[in-house]
Amino acid sequence: MSEDRRGDDVFEELPVMALREVVMFPRSIMPLYVGRDASMKSIEIAQASYSKLIFLVNQHTPEVEKPGTQDLAKVGCVSKVLQRLRLPDGTCKVLFEGVYRARWEELHEDGCTMAKLRRCADTPGQQEEVEALVQTVREALDEYAKTCRKISPDLLMSIKAVKEPGALANTIVPHLKVDYHKKQKVLDEDDVVHRLELTYELLQSEVSLASVEKRIKNRVRVQMERNQREYYLNEQIKAINREMGRDDDPQAEVDEIEQKLKKMDLPEEARSKALTEAHKLRNIPSSAVEYTVVRNYVDWILDLPWNALKETVIDIEKARDILDGDHYGLEKPKERILEYLAVQKLSHGLKGPILCFVGPPGVGKTSLAKSVARATGRDFVRLSLGGVRDEAEIRGHRRTYVGALPGKILQSLKRVKFNNPLFCLDEIDKLSSDYRGDPASALLEVLDPEQNNTFMDHYLELEYDLSKIFFITTANTLHTIPVPLLDRMEVIELNSYLETEKRHIARRFLLPRQIQEHGLKSTNLHVSDNALIEIIRSYTYEAGVRDLERQIAALCRKTAIRLVEENDLDKCVSITRNSLPSLLGVKRYRHDEREVEPRVGVCAGLAWSQRGGEILLVETTLMAGSGHVVTTGQLGEVMTESAKAALSYVRSRADLLGLDPRFHRKIDIHVHVPAGATPKDGPSAGITLATSITSALLGIPVRNDVAMTGEISLRGRVLPIGGLREKLLAARRSGVRKVIIPHDNEKDLKEVPDEVLRDLKIVFVEHVDEVLPQALAATSEEIFSGRGNTQPICRALRLEKHDNQPTQ
């Protein structure tokens, strides 16, 4: 029978054999292995017939053993059984030849599956389009033959000899290694044009796939050749090393690394990553740069204390003894630390807060952190953050950079070899940022107890647990610490030391340490208490004790040279207050003292700085003028505004003070604060300025044994201030007997030592009207009636009173 024979209305009945993942086409000869009983019976029936024809049709799902009508494709190929060969295993090898396409109309069982078939006729297209498609398909076939080389030249010539368009497609497709679904789609197509287009798409797809396969094979072949070459050379190196008795065999090192990784207590992610990197070392020459990079990375993973915890024993009494023995004073910070340790002992590892010690330089922030480490049995690690402006200092560098390393956090842990040290981040307020990132932002994860158990370093690119570390940070001020970072810390303030505390520290800690460091005996040097106080007041000016220790060291050096010159190593050198100028030179600092006698317009205020408290004298003088107000002495903006508020208050009380309401138009007021080279600012000098201006206007002297501090409002209210502890110490040092402070600061007296309060009379006020009678050398009636004026310029400012006017 011929494939191009017409006859859509001709029906034939033939046995059916279902094919698995195979599509039979007309004009193709194909051997198939047959094993199913139903298929074997269909073949026998076909061979018994005269025509030896059988209907071969593809089944949609290959796994179905007995396909039904819904499992078979509608279009198949009527084929001729050419030869059948039985195999020893019971199956048959059958050779089929495709004859024509057919579509089954119905199936029924008659000893085997029989199908009523209708021949599929080709639908011709436009001649020009068909001829163009035939030419295009033949060109694609040539390219396919050159690229894939799966078609022999003879077969190619026989295929190209086919003239009929539909038959050309049917002849090409069986030789393509494409999915049987795509072949079935070509077999189903009656339209010759569409069948050729599908054939062309399959050819182009195979050509593209063959090109990709060729590139992959070439690349794999080159890689295999290189690997074989490297393997051969590595084996030669091993043999040479063995012959020469060398121990540094790279492969042996890799074996050792892998054994260590398998034995170490590592997180599974870190172990897997390290083993992968170690495996790379086997394929990298030891002389290559990449070998060093990978080896350093693996070494870092091996050296970090992932789960190595040092045993810590928390003994509260022992910790208290250590803290008290190492530091004098600092009661609040030490109590907070003991509370933290007690909670740690009860909770067995509660995620504690990040403590932040804030205070001026030299008050013992870092040394207190060292004492905490000794009290808890932890290793002490200190990282100075002053001037750090590169985020990589915290998070590390990417491995792509030359000389990349992990951040300082992990570097420090590698050094101590335990994962639970006490980590002191020093000078956290000195962090800065530039184009390399913001290290303060990088610390947000480090100092967050809820996040630092999965800290990610850029170099490792692995999660690292920092939650077992006891973090303590130190700072001189809170103003420069970013708010999100400050929110993660519990601030503990360390105030500046009082003179009495400095004397105790010098006697108990500094002097014995310097005597030992200078090779002296404890009997070689005796420093009196008066000498220590004089050193603190006149030779140092600081909140801490660093400069004090330097001055004590100078005394030890003077003593050492004297003992050596006199050749008497057992001599005791006694240092008194009077002998200090000959040893330390002239006094370096002076503190403002109170006035010897009451003076008009001169009032003593109290100021705070990081170095402690000071007496601040405020001077006011009046001159004939036109109402100008001048402030000098390097006053800051806040203090200048306080002076204006004080003057406005005095003007608002002019009638009560007996002053002409227009007095400010007749005079100029000059307010000056001595020590003009020192900048001064803050609102706490408000009542001092008001008292000084009132004294100058009324001509009433200010008592010389009174000092004051407090902010003033326009209504005359006295508002609370800070730094009361240091201010009261400065008042006591200057010989002041009475101190006027805001009533709201009464609660702050609990932080002031009793020895300071014993020598002072504290007066609490809520309004400036209460301040003036306490500070001015006049009675309340004299102040608020104007009868106390004594100076001519003050008398000129008095409110003229007539007999018919009531006297206030």
Side-chain angles (χ1 to χ4, degrees), residues 733-803:
R733 182 182 60 223
S734 300
V736 171
R737 292 290 175 258
K738 181 190 295 185
V739 178
I740 302 173
I741 66 174
H743 189 275
D744 291 341
N745 284 112
E746 184 178 2
K747 61 181 184 303
D748 298 327
L749 293 180
K750 296 178 182 179
E751 299 181 4
V752 182
D754 293 336
E755 59 183 305
V756 175
L757 295 177
R758 281 197 300 266
D759 299 333
L760 296 176
K761 179 182 179 182
I762 309 297
V763 178
F764 302 103
V765 295
E766 295 181 343
H767 198 274
V768 179
D769 289 349
E770 303 174 37
V771 176
L772 298 178
Q774 297 286 343
L776 299 182
T779 64
S780 179
E781 293 181 355
E782 292 175 337
I783 295 171
F784 293 110
S785 66
R787 292 199 299 270
N789 297 341
T790 58
Q791 297 182 10
I793 191 169
C794 298
R795 286 196 296 271
L797 300 175
R798 289 177 59 187
L799 180 65
E800 297 295 334
K801 299 180 177 62
H802 303 283
D803 294 338

Side-chain angles (χ1 to χ4, degrees), residues 391-406:
E391 179 191 0
E393 294 288 332
I394 307 299
R395 286 192 177 275
H397 297 83
R398 301 284 183 186
R399 276 198 289 165
T400 53
Y401 291 96
V402 177
L405 286 172

